[in-house]
Amino acid sequence: MPMIDPVPGTSDAPTRPDSVRLALELWCAVIVAELIAFIAQYGVLRDRTQEILDSMEEKGEPISVSATSMAVLSMIIMAVILIVITVVVMKFTWDGRNWARQVLGVFSAFLSVQLVFGIVALFADTDSAGAVEIPAWAMIFEILGGVAAVGALIALMHRDTSVYCRDKALWRSRNRQNGGL
């Protein structure tokens, strides 16, 4: 009598390579660093929110909220949405979904380009004319997040990661055809 696996199709599942683990660990670092840098932008967001509320007040529109509460609420909403989207894509990447690997790669490439422009902006001479600026210490976290994103991009586009996603898709397809998953 043949041996039957307790869970169908688990014995021949592709093993997750270290490049996938590394990419997701680096993305955890990206989330933390970018969240700290995002919180550091509170002053800029509050200043912009105050400008919007002032223009509404000049038009005679009633204002029932303060710039501080509006800025904090919008920052919380934006941070939660971005973190949830990223974590969902990370989960699908962990499960070997190629589309998620590519989406996370695009996110990584975006942050890598943002890193380059951020470093160039450090050396550009700008005159803010009294406007609220992002604190200089926040750039440290932008750079750390950008460097982690570069590492994650390399790990996500590594051959082992690509082969894992391909093999995992074949494994899922085979299990569906055999009544597994």
Side-chain angles (χ1 to χ4, degrees):
M1 184 172 200
M3 295 260 318
I4 297 174
D5 291 330
V7 179
T10 56
S11 64
D12 62 341
T15 58
R16 189 174 293 110
D18 290 338
S19 58
V20 173
R21 290 187 178 117
L22 176 64
L24 297 183
E25 288 170 358
L26 286 170
W27 257 98
C28 290
V30 168
I31 290 171
V32 170
E34 292 295 326
L35 186 62
I36 292 170
F38 182 68
I39 291 169
Q41 297 175 10
Y42 166 76
V44 174
L45 183 62
R46 188 191 176 288
D47 190 40
R48 179 67 183 133
T49 304
Q50 188 62 52
E51 290 173 12
I52 292 169
L53 292 177
D54 290 344
S55 70
M56 288 173 62
E57 191 174 37
E58 289 173 4
K59 295 177 185 175
E61 297 176 23
I63 300 171
S64 61
V65 67
S66 71
T68 302
S69 62
M70 192 169 165
V72 168
L73 183 63
S74 64
M75 285 184 78
I76 290 171
I77 290 170
M78 287 188 305
V80 167
I81 289 171
L82 291 173
I83 289 172
V84 166
I85 289 170
T86 305
V87 168
V88 166
V89 173
M90 288 171 63
K91 167 68 171 100
F92 281 118
T93 302
W94 181 259
D95 290 340
R97 305 287 179 166
N98 195 48
W99 66 266
R101 176 185 71 91
Q102 292 174 350
V103 168
L104 206 55
V106 169
F107 291 171
S108 299
F110 175 79
L111 290 176
S112 300
V113 170
Q114 185 180 2
L115 169 68
V116 171
F117 284 121
I119 290 174
V120 168
L122 283 175
F123 300 105
D125 187 28
T126 59
D127 184 26
S128 60
V132 177
E133 292 183 11
I134 298 171
W137 60 264
M139 193 60 198
I140 295 169
F141 293 98
E142 287 282 340
I143 291 171
L144 289 174
V147 170
V150 169
L153 179 61
I154 292 168
L156 287 166
M157 297 304 142
H158 192 269
R159 185 180 189 295
D160 291 346
T161 306
S162 178
V163 168
Y164 167 70
C165 289
R166 183 194 67 215
D167 292 347
K168 191 74 170 191
L170 290 171
W171 178 79
R172 280 191 301 270
S173 173
R174 189 172 51 247
N175 281 338
R176 270 189 229 111
Q177 291 171 357
N178 295 331
L181 300 171

